[in-house]
Amino acid sequence: MSKSAIGKGMLVLMLLLVSVFTAACGNNAKNGNTSNNNGKTVNQQEETPANTSKEKVTLKMAMWDSNNDFIDFLTDKVTEFNQVNPNVTVELESFKGDGDYLQAMKVRASADSLPDIYELKPNWLNDFKENLTPINDLAVTKQNQYAATYAIDGNIYALPSVSFPELVYYNKSIFEELNLEVPTTWPQFIEVLQAIKANDKYIPYAMGGKDAWPNYPFNEFLPHSISGDENYLSSTATEDEPFGEGTVFYQGYSQIADLYNADVMGPDPLGTSWDQATDLFVSKQAAVIASGLWFMPTYSSKVGNTDDLGAFPMPYRMTESETLKLMTFTDQFYGINSNTKHPEEAKAFMEWFYSPEVYQTYIDTAQLNSAFEGVEANVPWLQQFYESNPIEPFVYIPGDAEYTRISNAIQLDVKALGQDMMAGKKVSDIATELNGKWKKAKNG
Amino acid sequence: MSYTIQKKIVIFTFLLIPISLLLLFLIYPTIRLFQFSLTDWNGMSKSFNYVGFDNFVQAFQTPEVWKALSNNLLYFIVHVIFIPLEIMIAVYLNQKLRASNFFRTIVFMPYIINGVAVAYIFTYLYNPLNGPLNELLSVVGLESLTQKWLSDTDVVNYSLIAVSLWRFSGFHVILFLAGLQSIPNDLYEAATVDGAGALHKFRHISVPGIILVIDLVLFLNIRGALQVFDIPFLMTQGGPGTASTTFTVYTLETAFKFNNYGLASALAIILMVIIIAMSIVQKQLIKVKGD
């Protein structure tokens, strides 16, 4: 190789290197997050220098929903804020499932790149409180019926958008065919399911045990409900051994074991996914299924109407002398990122988002109950349910920071425990194991 | 510029990009991993405390970690048992079979298919509601053999290992085949002249000839069995309960579900150490056999 050839080669290489590095730097200069889950490219709004009186601002908002129609509704809705406040554009990033969403948000939290406004579940508030701005002073906060319940150390970090009851759904025609009454106590509930099993025509209860989470009406909610204490989870964090014999947990899990051991969930509840379970219920191969009100749109879209759909509160109580409670869940919390560059605009957006006329369209589309005073949801089926079931609501409140700390340390996953129970694990063994780990983690 | 300096600059610039990429994407994250393994970082908060080797101590004292590792061990053992069979198949494919090319393609096919697709195919096959596998067993009168493939805690791991075998055995066969084809034919001819039988040829020519490939497959097996993730994660999420949780599934849940980045980092380092240690042991064994 001649010297000049090497020289030329070097020149070319240098040019290449320079171009590679400038390209790389150019990419870094753009803010990340350029595409959302739907594959739409988000147009980057260049911030104009402050020679205009008001600069143009883009707010990023993130949420998840399993229902595509609702995502489409909200994506369009947030753009309307631009008409109220021409300098602010709101862009929505959506996810299909809370698992993916949570993982993405955790990664972004560690990299300080959370969206300006983002959705949360009540049991995530403790984890994200460092990344949320207190919003006690917003006007809409005072209108929210549940926000204060979820305050942490006196600060409200996010506003719940909806509340809904947790229900047991049943096919009315099957109950009529077999002459069954709606059960109001736990033993009655198991009896009804056994009667359906004895008839041998239908699967009594459709359990999507393969996915673990569908057992939450039992493994997550039952001990909480029979404790009678909305703050039950936080109070377990003050005890050394909250799982042993004689505790609420033990009583609750023994009740669950009675149900699982009655073998009323079809041939293989642990092998059946939630989608398969809902298909069994919708196609009337199964008689009963339990879930939150959010199951309604799924049912209506598959069946076309709700004529044959009945519902009753899950009868956690053992006897009729105890009060029957209706587990009520608040969800779809929205909070403001503590590191947002546009706190004033984000707060203005929240005020607009939860103003009565905008919020009304939100809950009417979600088909769930209102979380704000002065706004009522137009869900006829639900209003009918409340009229025929005048029951006191029991609000699910997640555990406090200490509870979160201990349960993370021992990797407590009650839904996995439910799977273990369906596979035959004894309550006494579960309780002994949990007590040992809990005590060590609490005092360790 | 003198020629030597120019040469040095060329070499330097050529190496700059790969080395800087290596530093950025491999060395730096590994150093950070070691750092996190000594902390109680939850993966989100802006601060963390150094806790020394507590995470490592905790990892060894957690029964679930050992349970997960024993599941990994099961993958390893079953795959090792199948290696002789894979060599046999390779030997057959190496002969002048009619349509041997077609068979080679078929054998290699499962390895090409995307892991997620494989998981979904087998989830469907194992399905308890009208699943093809149980239906087939019923049709041919083997009703007694139908299983709750993915929901019986005693069966689930074997169901998943079967998927893993189906997916990777073909790849191993192709590797062995490549090894066999590199053995000169005159060795076999000489052995035939000396009156060696097929078994003798296999024992004294084929196996020593592909010992390096066997070594490679064993290494891939150790690495694969310890890092098996997609099949259990997609098909059972490590369930029912924690029955089919493997080491990597457990690590991932520790980091993202239970917010314990420190412990998860320690687990990742332990995994790295186990793989290195097992590879060294295996190298020694092969050496003893090979020499």
Side-chain angles (χ1 to χ4, degrees):
Chain A
M1 210 187 241
S2 71
K3 282 188 192 180
S4 66
I6 289 187
K8 276 183 192 159
M10 272 192 48
L11 195 69
V12 170
L13 189 76
M14 284 294 190
L15 281 172
L16 264 176
L17 269 180
V18 169
S19 63
V20 165
F21 275 105
T22 46
C25 296
N27 277 341
N28 287 343
K30 285 181 202 158
N31 299 326
N33 291 345
T34 48
S35 73
N36 67 9
N37 256 29
N38 305 338
K40 291 176 198 154
T41 307
V42 175
N43 54 333
Q44 295 281 344
Q45 279 246 342
E46 292 292 324
E47 290 197 10
T48 47
N51 53 7
T52 50
S53 57
K54 271 246 170 152
E55 55 180 354
K56 289 254 190 278
V57 168
T58 300
L59 289 178
K60 294 208 181 303
M61 179 172 175
M63 55 80 75
W64 82 90
D65 204 290
S66 54
N67 185 342
N68 271 329
D69 296 343
F70 189 75
I71 291 177
D72 293 343
F73 154 79
L74 203 62
T75 309
D76 293 342
K77 196 74 198 171
V78 296
T79 58
E80 290 176 19
F81 185 60
N82 194 251
Q83 296 159 13
V84 183
N85 198 331
N87 287 317
V88 185
T89 312
V90 183
E91 286 168 354
L92 188 77
E93 182 182 5
S94 57
F95 289 74
K96 285 288 292 171
D98 61 350
D100 301 346
Y101 173 86
L102 178 60
Q103 206 149 316
M105 290 304 137
K106 279 181 180 175
V107 170
R108 290 187 201 179
S110 64
D112 261 354
S113 57
L114 279 167
D116 303 288
I117 295 152
Y118 56 103
E119 188 179 357
L120 296 142
K121 278 185 107 68
N123 40 339
W124 303 348
L125 290 173
N126 267 311
D127 289 336
F128 280 90
K129 65 170 188 266
E130 281 182 36
N131 299 294
L132 289 164
T133 310
I135 45 175
N136 308 359
D137 50 352
L138 291 186
V140 285
T141 304
K142 296 173 183 61
Q143 295 296 310
N144 193 295
Q145 293 169 297
Y146 303 99
T149 311
Y150 296 91
I152 302 171
D153 307 330
N155 278 323
I156 293 167
Y157 288 102
L159 298 182
S161 310
V162 295
S163 98
F164 54 85
E166 291 289 338
L167 301 167
V168 185
Y169 295 99
Y170 65 101
N171 281 309
K172 286 182 194 167
S173 53
I174 296 178
F175 270 50
E176 278 161 26
E177 182 187 339
L178 306 180
N179 279 324
L180 295 169
E181 293 286 316
V182 167
T184 64
T185 66
W186 190 254
Q188 284 174 15
F189 181 59
I190 296 178
E191 273 165 33
V192 163
L193 294 173
Q194 281 169 325
I196 300 168
K197 187 188 172 184
N199 174 268
D200 213 20
K201 190 170 161 189
Y202 305 101
I203 292 172
Y205 185 98
M207 168 61 87
K210 184 173 188 297
D211 289 332
W213 66 261
N215 64 38
Y216 78 90
F218 310 114
N219 290 83
E220 187 172 15
F221 285 172
L222 194 149
H224 200 148
S225 175
I226 62 170
S227 74
D229 174 11
E230 290 180 344
N231 286 304
Y232 160 76
L233 292 177
S234 302
S235 63
T236 56
T238 61
E239 293 174 43
D240 274 0
E241 296 187 326
F243 303 103
E245 209 154 347
T247 62
V248 166
F249 177 90
Y250 201 93
Q251 155 70 24
Y253 269 52
S254 305
Q255 274 180 237
I256 299 168
D258 291 344
L259 172 71
Y260 290 168
N261 298 339
D263 192 21
V264 288
M265 295 180 170
D268 188 4
L270 270 178
T272 313
S273 69
W274 169 253
D275 285 341
Q276 289 172 321
T278 50
D279 283 342
L280 287 173
F281 179 76
V282 166
S283 63
K284 292 202 178 38
Q285 293 176 69
V288 176
I289 196 168
S291 86
L293 186 67
W294 47 263
F295 174 60
M296 280 284 298
T298 313
Y299 181 90
S300 321
S301 69
K302 283 184 176 171
V303 178
N305 60 57
T306 54
D307 301 348
D308 196 33
L309 186 70
F312 55 89
M314 178 71 83
Y316 294 125
R317 61 179 185 179
M318 288 300 285
T319 60
E320 286 178 3
S321 59
E322 300 162 55
T323 46
L324 186 59
K325 297 189 194 71
L326 180 66
M327 190 55 121
T328 305
F329 201 80
T330 41
D331 208 355
Q332 302 179 15
F333 286 64
Y334 280 95
I336 299 173
N337 177 3
S338 54
N339 291 325
T340 176
K341 293 186 181 64
H342 315 291
E344 291 315 310
E345 286 84 353
K347 282 178 179 172
F349 172 78
M350 290 281 270
E351 296 280 14
W352 171 83
F353 190 63
Y354 288 122
S355 62
E357 53 279 7
V358 178
Y359 177 65
Q360 184 77 55
T361 61
Y362 182 99
I363 46 168
D364 287 352
T365 313
Q367 287 285 294
L368 298 168
N369 256 337
S370 162
F372 284 85
E373 277 159 25
V375 182
E376 287 297 325
N378 298 317
V379 190
W381 188 90
L382 187 65
Q383 275 143 5
Q384 211 182 326
F385 171 82
Y386 277 121
E387 277 156 26
S388 50
N389 291 284
I391 311 156
E392 81 179 81
F394 181 86
V395 178
Y396 174 90
I397 300 175
D400 58 11
E402 179 64 359
Y403 174 84
T404 309
R405 181 188 74 79
I406 302 174
S407 52
N408 277 344
I410 70 166
Q411 305 211 349
L412 174 64
D413 179 354
V414 289
K415 291 147 195 168
L417 291 180
Q419 285 188 318
D420 284 336
M421 288 168 76
M422 285 180 230
K425 196 165 180 178
K426 289 193 173 66
V427 176
S428 52
D429 294 344
I430 291 175
T432 312
E433 271 174 44
L434 285 181
N435 269 343
K437 289 188 200 167
W438 187 268
K439 194 173 178 176
K440 205 170 129 192
K442 180 175 178 289
N443 306 320
Chain B
M1 233 189 289
S2 80
Y3 176 69
T4 43
I5 289 183
Q6 284 191 0
K7 204 163 77 174
K8 276 184 181 153
I9 290 175
V10 169
I11 292 169
F12 177 77
T13 45
F14 266 74
L15 286 174
L16 183 69
I17 293 177
I19 287 188
S20 53
L21 287 176
L22 197 70
L23 284 171
L24 182 65
F25 290 111
L26 188 73
I27 309 295
Y28 171 72
T30 310
I31 292 168
R32 291 289 285 191
L33 185 75
F34 276 93
Q35 184 197 350
F36 289 143
S37 73
L38 305 174
T39 69
D40 62 356
W41 191 45
N42 66 2
M44 292 171 56
S45 71
K46 293 171 185 54
S47 58
F48 49 73
N49 308 308
Y50 283 95
V51 293
F53 288 96
D54 283 8
N55 288 323
F56 291 91
V57 174
Q58 196 192 333
F60 283 111
Q61 287 177 345
T62 308
E64 284 81 5
V65 172
W66 294 104
K67 170 83 180 73
L69 266 177
S70 71
N71 286 343
N72 286 100
L73 188 69
L74 205 57
Y75 280 82
F76 176 74
I77 291 167
V78 177
H79 270 281
V80 166
I81 291 169
F82 270 77
I83 284 179
L85 185 74
E86 288 161 2
I87 297 176
M88 296 281 178
I89 294 170
V91 169
Y92 277 112
L93 287 177
N94 196 23
Q95 288 158 1
K96 298 273 179 290
L97 273 182
R98 189 183 299 184
S100 66
N101 268 337
F102 166 75
F103 285 118
R104 284 174 202 175
T105 314
I106 288 289
V107 160
F108 194 53
M109 208 52 135
Y111 182 70
I112 302 171
I113 302 173
N114 168 322
V116 179
V118 172
Y120 277 101
I121 293 166
F122 277 89
T123 305
Y124 166 72
L125 289 175
Y126 287 138
N127 197 333
L129 300 171
N130 322 321
L133 188 55
N134 280 346
E135 293 285 317
L136 187 74
L137 288 170
S138 308
V139 167
V140 296
L142 295 169
E143 196 100 32
S144 57
L145 288 179
T146 55
Q147 298 284 349
K148 295 178 175 177
W149 300 105
L150 296 179
S151 48
D152 184 331
T153 47
D154 298 326
V155 176
V156 61
N157 278 311
Y158 296 99
S159 304
L160 297 178
I161 291 168
V163 180
S164 178
L165 278 173
W166 180 84
R167 200 173 156 204
F168 293 108
S169 286
F171 176 57
H172 297 166
V173 168
I174 295 294
L175 288 176
F176 289 131
L177 189 60
L180 287 170
Q181 288 180 333
S182 70
I183 299 171
N185 224 356
D186 46 10
L187 287 180
Y188 289 107
E189 283 163 11
T192 313
V193 171
D194 291 342
L199 205 65
H200 265 87
K201 284 186 207 169
F202 176 73
R203 167 85 185 73
H204 294 287
I205 300 171
S206 302
V207 173
I210 59 167
I211 195 79
L212 280 177
V213 181
I214 294 177
D215 187 23
L216 171 75
V217 169
L218 276 169
F219 173 73
L220 287 177
N221 188 7
I222 288 172
R223 216 205 48 173
L226 283 168
Q227 296 190 343
V228 67
F229 170 75
D230 52 356
I231 293 170
F233 185 75
L234 290 163
M235 289 179 70
T236 62
Q237 294 92 46
T242 53
S244 63
T245 300
T246 60
F247 197 82
T248 31
V249 172
Y250 184 84
T251 306
L252 193 90
E253 293 213 321
T254 301
F256 290 108
K257 197 167 167 184
F258 300 108
N259 289 356
N260 197 338
Y261 250 73
L263 180 58
S265 305
L267 289 168
I269 289 166
I270 290 168
L271 182 69
M272 211 154 52
V273 172
I274 294 174
I275 291 176
I276 293 168
M278 281 186 76
S279 305
I280 291 171
V281 170
Q282 179 209 306
K283 271 266 185 290
Q284 295 302 327
L285 288 175
I286 293 278
K287 237 197 207 129
V288 171
K289 267 175 64 182
D291 289 346

